[in-house]
Amino acid sequence: MEEIEIVYRKISDLTLLDDNPRKISKRDLERLVDSIRINGFWKHRPIALSEREGKLYVLAGHQRIKAAKKLKISEVPTILYHNLTEEQEADIVLRDNINNGEWDFEKLQLGDWSNKADFSFIGLDIPVEDKQPEDEEVADEEQEDNEKEEGSEDDPIADEKEDFYRSMLNDCLYESNNEFDIPNLLLEEQAGKLLLPFAPWGADSRLRKDVATYHFYVDDYRFEAIWKDPIKVLTSGVKALVEPNLSVYDTTPIAYGLQQIYKKRWISRYFQECGIKVYADLNVSVKFKEYNKLGLPKGYNAFFTRGYAGRLEYLKGELEVAKEISGLQIPNLLVYGGGDEIRKFCIDNSLVYVQDFINDKSSKKDGKNKRK
């Protein structure tokens, strides 16, 4: 079996097997998309190819190809095998999807793994055993633990904070400057300079307590979990947040788009009520630009948006919105990613450009950075 070095090839040049025996659930595909968005393509797992009749067939990596297409990644790392027999091809296809060995769950739970990785994020389910007390001593220990949970003086500060956060989580109407009752953000709780570390929500283990600022330029399904239970975000120790970026496009019905804007602004106001500083998200389609101003009081001067290569006009429009609301010629607008053109525009206009480390990492090719 012969192979050559890892080469980046266009996805459009690759052919998927019609009879690929592996399938993936929607949930697992979302996890895979997140992993590639955050980490890029691991070079130790390139797409395995075999050449037949002038075509490059994918032997291993069908699901990663699907995820790459969702992320609009045009090129992927590949390795091309030559002169494979049908048996060798089948061996690669099948072995790539077989987990040899078993997890040692005891080591996973007792070791430091849980502090390094978010098991649920990577799709690893840890079995939970129902343990019954073997004697009265164990039962007494459990009773003491329960008493602590009910509110003894030994409760950690984190528990007190969680109680406060939950007490603030009520069905309520916040004051609003518009006919749709979209809540106003608080001027006194607007964010200022970008506090580091800065990370996307869900990128690392949520056991981390060192992230100062989270953003939500991630898939919408992550926000749905936050909408149902925002306490995990608050107890993470975060000090500032970018408003959750719920997708609205020019094809989105206005009624649905208004609901999306209402939800992100309501949860952001709730975060502010809990003492978290907030950047207003300006990353919406042109159709919803005016609606996205609702709930942003005059003088608010904390904005964030997502930069996109080849779409400078969007950023120019968002800068004008930030100027209008803040009343300043140089507003506090931070731009996340977008490449060299976007970065230059930020420099020319005294805006803060934040490197999109995810795309930067995933676009490395032969030791060089390649913008997608």
Side-chain angles (χ1 to χ4, degrees):
M1 184 188 305
E2 302 174 7
E3 77 265 6
I4 58 175
E5 63 181 6
I6 294 175
V7 175
Y8 278 73
R9 291 182 169 89
K10 293 182 179 179
I11 291 178
S12 58
D13 293 338
L14 309 181
T15 302
L16 300 178
L17 292 177
D18 291 332
D19 57 348
N20 175 47
R22 187 69 166 173
K23 61 182 180 180
I24 189 171
S25 68
K26 181 180 179 181
R27 175 65 172 166
D28 286 337
L29 180 59
E30 288 172 343
R31 285 195 179 107
L32 182 56
V33 168
D34 275 351
S35 176
I36 294 174
R37 178 186 285 110
I38 294 163
N39 300 306
F41 273 82
W42 296 112
K43 293 195 73 174
H44 69 273
R45 288 202 70 200
I47 306 298
L49 306 175
S50 179
E51 187 170 6
R52 302 185 209 155
E53 300 175 353
K55 289 186 178 181
L56 298 178
Y57 282 90
V58 175
L59 301 181
H62 291 77
Q63 313 311 331
R64 280 171 283 156
I65 293 289
K66 288 182 182 178
K69 288 180 177 178
K70 286 179 69 70
L71 290 168
K72 294 185 172 31
I73 294 175
S74 60
E75 295 183 344
V76 293
T78 68
I79 188 166
L80 177 60
Y81 290 94
H82 298 278
N83 305 318
L84 294 180
T85 66
E86 291 184 2
E87 291 76 12
Q88 288 173 322
E89 286 188 353
D91 190 70
I92 292 175
V93 171
L94 297 178
R95 283 190 182 278
D96 183 66
N97 294 303
I98 290 179
N99 294 319
N100 294 310
E102 298 178 354
W103 290 111
D104 187 331
F105 291 112
E106 183 177 355
K107 287 185 177 179
L108 283 174
Q109 291 171 310
L110 296 179
D112 194 38
W113 291 100
S114 62
N115 292 325
K116 299 174 184 175
D118 185 340
F119 292 150
S120 63
F121 178 64
I122 63 175
L124 176 58
D125 295 323
I126 304 295
V128 178
E129 296 181 5
D130 293 328
K131 295 184 178 180
Q132 298 295 331
E134 297 179 358
D135 51 39
E136 293 182 359
E137 182 178 353
V138 175
D140 289 342
E141 290 176 356
E142 290 187 349
Q143 182 176 356
E144 290 176 4
D145 290 340
N146 290 336
E147 289 174 354
K148 289 180 180 180
E149 290 175 0
E150 289 171 2
S152 72
E153 294 180 354
D154 294 330
D155 278 351
I157 296 176
D159 288 346
E160 295 178 3
K161 286 185 176 180
E162 181 171 344
D163 290 341
F164 167 72
Y165 296 145
R166 291 199 181 279
S167 72
M168 299 294 291
L169 186 60
N170 300 304
D171 289 332
C172 67
L173 291 175
Y174 295 113
E175 65 274 13
S176 172
N177 62 6
N178 58 87
E179 61 180 318
F180 303 106
D181 294 327
I182 293 173
N184 293 344
L185 294 186
L186 296 171
L187 285 170
E188 60 269 26
E189 293 295 340
Q190 59 183 312
K193 303 297 184 183
L194 180 61
L195 299 176
L196 302 176
F198 174 67
W201 176 253
D204 299 295
S205 170
R206 297 187 190 106
L207 295 174
R208 286 185 61 178
K209 299 296 182 183
D210 62 331
V211 175
T213 309
Y214 273 121
H215 72 77
F216 297 90
Y217 293 119
V218 294
D219 287 344
D220 282 1
Y221 81 90
R222 290 197 175 282
F223 173 70
E224 291 303 322
I226 296 168
W227 177 254
K228 293 176 183 176
D229 185 10
I231 304 301
K232 288 182 180 179
V233 177
L234 295 168
T235 55
S236 70
V238 70
K239 296 180 174 61
L241 295 165
V242 180
E243 277 191 308
N245 177 253
L246 286 169
S247 300
V248 288
Y249 309 101
D250 285 340
T251 55
T252 301
I254 290 177
Y256 183 77
L258 281 170
Q259 181 191 34
Q260 297 287 76
I261 293 170
Y262 177 90
K263 289 171 70 174
K264 80 170 184 179
R265 206 129 288 164
W266 191 98
I267 202 70
S268 297
R269 172 60 185 270
Y270 164 70
F271 286 144
Q272 288 186 321
E273 294 285 341
C274 294
I276 307 299
K277 307 295 184 182
V278 171
Y279 293 96
D281 167 53
L282 299 184
N283 184 31
V284 296
S285 71
V286 175
K287 177 178 179 179
F288 288 95
K289 183 177 75 171
E290 294 300 317
Y291 294 113
N292 195 51
K293 297 177 185 177
L294 302 177
L296 299 180
K298 292 293 184 182
Y300 203 87
N301 187 35
F303 307 97
F304 233 104
T305 190
R306 186 79 165 86
Y308 297 96
R311 294 166 65 180
L312 183 59
E313 293 304 316
Y314 283 83
L315 179 55
K316 290 180 178 178
E318 290 158 353
L319 175 57
E320 292 306 312
V321 171
K323 288 180 178 180
E324 174 190 339
I325 294 172
S326 68
L328 302 172
Q329 278 301 109
I330 304 178
N332 182 26
L333 171 61
L334 292 81
V335 182
Y336 181 59
D340 293 338
E341 181 186 33
I342 300 297
R343 184 172 182 274
K344 183 180 184 303
F345 179 83
C346 291
I347 292 173
D348 292 342
N349 290 273
S350 298
L351 307 179
V352 175
Y353 178 82
V354 184
Q355 179 66 47
D356 180 350
F357 72 95
I358 297 171
N359 284 346
D360 183 56
K361 182 187 294 186
S362 65
S363 63
K364 288 183 178 178
K365 176 181 179 181
D366 299 329
K368 297 180 181 179
N369 290 341
K370 180 180 179 182
R371 302 290 178 186
K372 296 285 189 257

